[in-house]
Amino acid sequence: MNWQAIRSIYTFEMARFFRTLMQSFISPVISTSLYFVVFGAAIGSRIDQVDGVSYGAFIVPGLIMLSVMTQAISNASFGIYFPKFIGTIYELLSAPVNFLEIVIGYVGAATTKALFIGIVILATSALFVDLQIQHPFAMMAFMLLTCVSFALFGFIIGIWAQNFEQLQLIPLLIVTPLVFLGGSFYSISMLPPVWQTITLFNPVVYLISGFRWAFFGMADVPIGLSLLAISGVTALCMIGVWWIFKTGWRIRK
Amino acid sequence: MSEILSVRDLVKRYDDGFEALKGVTLSIEQGEILALLGPNGAGKTTLISTICGITEGTSGTVTVGGHDIVKGYRDARRMIGLVPQEISLEPFERVINTVRFSRGLFGKPKDEAHLEKILRELSLWDKKDNRIMELSGGMKRRVLIAKALSHEPEVLFLDEPTAGVDVELRKDMWEIVAALKASGTTIILTTHYIEEAEAIADRVGVIAKGELLLVEEKQALMTRMGKKQLQIDLSAPLIEVPDVLSKYDLQLVQDGTALLYTYDTRAERTGITGLLADLASAGLSMSDLQTKQSSLEDIFVGLVAEDAA
Ligand SMILES: Nc1ncnc2c1ncn2[C@@H]1O[C@H](COP(=O)(O)OP(=O)(O)OP(=O)(O)O)[C@@H](O)[C@H]1O
Ligand SMILES: [Mg+2]
């Protein structure tokens, strides 16, 4: 392994993040506060409690997941797409590095950024609502795995995309709807029966449910299923990356 | 001297079926400077990209320092520095950071002193904290060179290093290349400027349409293909070349006021003595004599034209 190269890619990518640190920090703080104003105050005054948890606290795990997933995807996809776009990819291709090292560097940086934002949102939320985390280790592990798997997914999108439209397409068309309909702001049990069934085909439901379990000890689906889902998503993304590596897909001409 | 780069029967066919390299074989000695000349689209960049790992060859083998570029890609690529033809740099990044990045990417430990030395040599030290987008075009090209040199390569590829560079900077570039050669670096450069090849290369290769037409010592090439011309200015103009001089294959130029004699410098006899004697006996008086040797440019133009025919 060329550890030096991994470290170089990682620090170079993180430097981009630090350049806009204030922006990276302030935007999740503001958007979280807005969510609390809109959902917590407006809707929360009508929905008092969900399964014994105040509505304000109930939406926190979903809120974190929502940001973490979209951030991991956009950071990783942009991170690898940008060098392709401006041509600096030549250096990665001519360097003594293998695909795995490139993946670790880019996905590692995207994971770190998403994790940072997740923690900022968690801290901001604690200012608005009373939060008790029942399984803190499980919570961190869940968040980390989500960051890794969605960053891997973002990396695949970044490699695949040939233009900026394609780069936005999958997150916009698939990921955002799945995340919004994944029970971020409501409990599955609040839906009509037909929709409850349909919802179970959405993998994000299992991730959010599992994450919520780590907070409050209660979930829409059994925690075992959530663990299976997060492992499955991570494994699928790893296979996707491995397949790109095997076929040299769209990187080397 | 020992061979440092070996290219054998290299074929590159792009996805659209276009064959950009049609079986190129080339051997490069350690420490030499090879200039690749060839018209646009000849395959120079393709050849360099394939050796450096940016594109994959369709068939054939390449070794760098004895390491196969596919099986031993790590060892092979560690030895190579590449300055691409296109300027591609991250606009918001600072000069020093992108150079540090390159060094790390090639697996070399931090060495700020080395980076300072390179940046100073390339007159970039006072710009080290500037963003790339704040640099001029020529400076950006030098940043690319600094990146390529950051990991101390033994073989350096310069793809048109002086394209769009002013005269002064071009001379600077030649000096940098000379200094690198003195430190033992092997250099392969492409150029459209023949005087550039003439000025700095040890050997010259000519590529056209994906084929390497020749690779030769610059000096040998110029002598081998170098024809000399003797121009004889006449005191009085002629209407045609007198019959007695027909065996010399003379050309009448400048409205009949001068005769042009082309001869081969390698031939045992140039025929000049005989010609001058015959001129005198034909009663022609001359006002001046001058000789002219063909340059690489003439040779190059001749070769490419021959190939096209
Ligand atoms: N990605 C590609 N797909 C298809 N054809 C390509 C590709 N890249 C280059 N070519 C073709 O290969 C040929 C050689 O191109 P190359 O860039 O190697 O030329 P060159 O000798 O470097 O020319 P120049 O002096 O203009 O830089 C050209 O005909 C070009 O159109
Ligand atoms: Mg070229």
Side-chain angles (χ1 to χ4, degrees):
Chain A
M1 284 293 255
N2 185 346
W3 293 107
Q4 203 77 44
I6 295 176
R7 198 165 71 193
S8 284
I9 295 173
Y10 182 85
T11 44
F12 198 71
E13 282 302 295
M14 290 311 288
R16 205 202 305 282
F17 180 63
F18 286 126
R19 266 203 301 271
T20 54
L21 188 63
M22 274 323 274
Q23 203 176 310
S24 315
F25 182 77
I26 286 175
S27 67
V29 169
I30 292 181
S31 62
T32 308
S33 308
L34 284 175
Y35 273 118
F36 274 109
V37 171
V38 175
F39 286 93
I43 302 176
S45 59
R46 289 159 187 262
I47 310 171
D48 186 27
Q49 285 200 333
V50 184
D51 302 328
V53 178
S54 81
Y55 185 72
F58 178 83
I59 63 169
V60 171
L63 218 50
I64 295 175
M65 278 303 213
L66 186 69
S67 297
V68 154
M69 288 171 180
T70 46
Q71 285 289 331
I73 288 185
S74 68
N75 280 317
S77 61
F78 186 77
I80 189 68
Y81 177 75
F82 193 56
K84 282 205 310 180
F85 178 67
I86 61 170
T88 52
I89 190 93
Y90 86 86
E91 205 174 16
L92 281 179
L93 296 178
S94 63
V97 294
N98 64 22
F99 191 65
L100 182 66
E101 288 150 1
I102 295 177
V103 171
I104 296 176
Y106 281 100
V107 169
T111 300
T112 312
K113 296 176 203 175
L115 208 55
F116 170 84
I117 285 164
I119 291 168
V120 168
I121 295 175
L122 182 62
T124 313
S125 306
L127 300 177
F128 287 90
V129 292
D130 188 22
L131 267 183
Q132 275 154 6
I133 303 167
Q134 292 199 5
H135 309 283
F137 285 109
M139 190 276 289
M140 282 311 290
F142 236 99
M143 185 148 75
L144 181 66
L145 266 182
T146 308
C147 290
V148 172
S149 56
F150 278 72
L152 280 169
F153 187 48
F155 187 85
I156 296 172
I157 294 173
I159 293 262
W160 166 81
Q162 301 277 50
N163 51 50
F164 273 103
E165 285 73 35
Q166 290 183 350
L167 197 64
Q168 308 285 355
L169 199 69
I170 296 199
L172 198 72
L173 239 53
I174 301 175
V175 181
T176 312
L178 283 186
V179 172
F180 266 93
L181 300 174
S184 304
F185 302 111
Y186 53 85
S187 162
I188 305 296
S189 60
M190 293 158 83
L191 295 174
V194 185
W195 283 103
Q196 286 193 23
T197 315
I198 293 174
T199 292
L200 292 179
F201 289 99
N202 178 357
V204 177
V205 165
Y206 299 85
L207 307 187
I208 292 180
S209 168
F211 195 47
R212 193 173 282 138
W213 171 86
F215 276 81
F216 311 120
M218 55 96 174
D220 286 329
V221 293
I223 178 67
L225 273 182
S226 294
L227 285 176
L228 209 64
I230 185 70
S231 318
V233 169
T234 311
L236 261 179
C237 293
M238 280 180 171
I239 291 171
V241 164
W242 177 82
W243 186 67
I244 290 176
F245 167 62
K246 275 286 150 204
T247 55
W249 199 48
R250 285 201 187 192
I251 321 176
R252 267 199 183 89
K253 274 173 261 151
Chain B
M1 285 218 281
S2 60
E3 184 186 62
I4 194 157
L5 175 72
S6 150
V7 179
R8 253 173 247 312
D9 305 319
L10 188 64
V11 173
K12 171 62 190 178
R13 202 172 300 115
Y14 281 109
D15 287 343
D16 58 6
F18 183 80
E19 205 168 72
L21 296 176
K22 300 170 181 161
V24 170
T25 297
L26 175 65
S27 166
I28 292 168
E29 301 288 309
Q30 177 158 16
E32 74 169 327
I33 300 180
L34 176 81
L36 285 174
L37 293 168
N40 288 133
K44 303 180 294 294
T45 301
T46 303
L47 176 62
I48 292 179
S49 300
T50 312
I51 297 171
C52 294
I54 292 163
T55 55
E56 275 172 351
T58 309
S59 67
T61 54
V62 179
T63 61
V64 182
H67 308 290
D68 184 274
I69 56 158
V70 180
K71 286 187 224 99
Y73 72 96
R74 276 197 208 266
D75 291 321
R77 290 186 198 164
R78 247 189 268 277
M79 298 175 67
I80 299 177
L82 166 65
V83 180
Q85 181 173 0
E86 308 281 337
I87 294 183
S88 15
L89 289 162
E90 295 224 14
F92 303 109
E93 216 40 76
R94 295 188 193 282
V95 171
I96 185 77
N97 286 340
T98 113
V99 178
R100 271 190 201 124
F101 171 73
S102 300
R103 184 173 171 89
L105 196 60
F106 278 74
K108 286 275 161 89
K110 248 190 155 143
D111 185 347
E112 294 295 302
H114 177 69
L115 299 188
E116 176 173 346
K117 182 170 153 274
I118 291 173
L119 290 176
R120 280 191 191 283
E121 279 168 5
L122 292 164
S123 318
L124 283 170
W125 183 244
D126 55 334
K127 297 282 180 188
K128 71 180 193 325
D129 293 316
N130 281 75
R131 293 174 194 281
I132 303 288
M133 60 182 184
E134 297 161 356
L135 304 182
S136 76
M139 289 174 187
K140 284 181 193 155
R141 197 166 284 284
R142 278 180 282 158
V143 172
L144 287 179
I145 299 179
K147 280 164 79 73
L149 293 178
S150 68
H151 60 272
E152 302 158 61
E154 286 166 61
V155 182
L156 181 66
F157 288 91
L158 297 162
D159 200 350
E160 293 190 30
T162 57
V165 154
D166 68 30
V167 180
E168 198 168 332
L169 191 56
R170 184 174 305 165
K171 292 271 156 59
D172 283 355
M173 205 77 85
W174 293 357
E175 273 169 30
I176 292 165
V177 169
L180 284 169
K181 179 188 158 77
S183 69
T185 311
T186 307
I187 295 158
I188 294 101
L189 64 94
T190 72
T191 179
H192 287 284
Y193 302 106
I194 298 187
E195 67 271 22
E196 186 159 285
E198 217 163 340
I200 57 177
D202 298 313
R203 284 198 302 160
V204 175
V206 177
I207 298 192
K209 294 192 189 130
E211 276 172 297
L212 197 58
L213 299 181
L214 68 84
V215 189
E216 267 199 38
E217 297 287 325
K218 179 181 63 185
Q219 231 42 60
L221 179 69
M222 287 174 61
T223 343
R224 182 169 73 82
M225 309 214 40
K227 295 232 171 71
K228 260 193 156 176
Q229 281 187 324
L230 174 68
Q231 183 176 328
I232 303 151
D233 292 339
L234 301 168
S235 313
L238 287 175
I239 298 167
E240 55 176 8
V241 180
D243 280 344
V244 286
L245 300 174
S246 62
K247 63 172 172 172
Y248 295 105
D249 208 8
L250 298 173
Q251 279 171 271
L252 199 55
V253 293
Q254 291 174 7
D255 297 329
T257 59
L259 287 166
L260 213 51
Y261 174 56
T262 306
Y263 61 98
D264 193 337
T265 47
R266 290 168 311 140
E268 253 171 60
R269 274 162 218 235
T270 56
I272 294 176
T273 329
L275 172 64
L276 293 181
D278 287 348
L279 273 174
S281 53
L284 298 173
S285 75
M286 42 195 169
S287 59
D288 200 3
L289 279 178
Q290 58 195 39
T291 64
K292 170 171 153 274
Q293 176 140 33
S294 51
S295 68
L296 260 179
E297 181 149 10
D298 303 330
I299 299 169
F300 172 70
V301 170
L303 262 176
V304 174
E306 219 170 85
D307 187 59

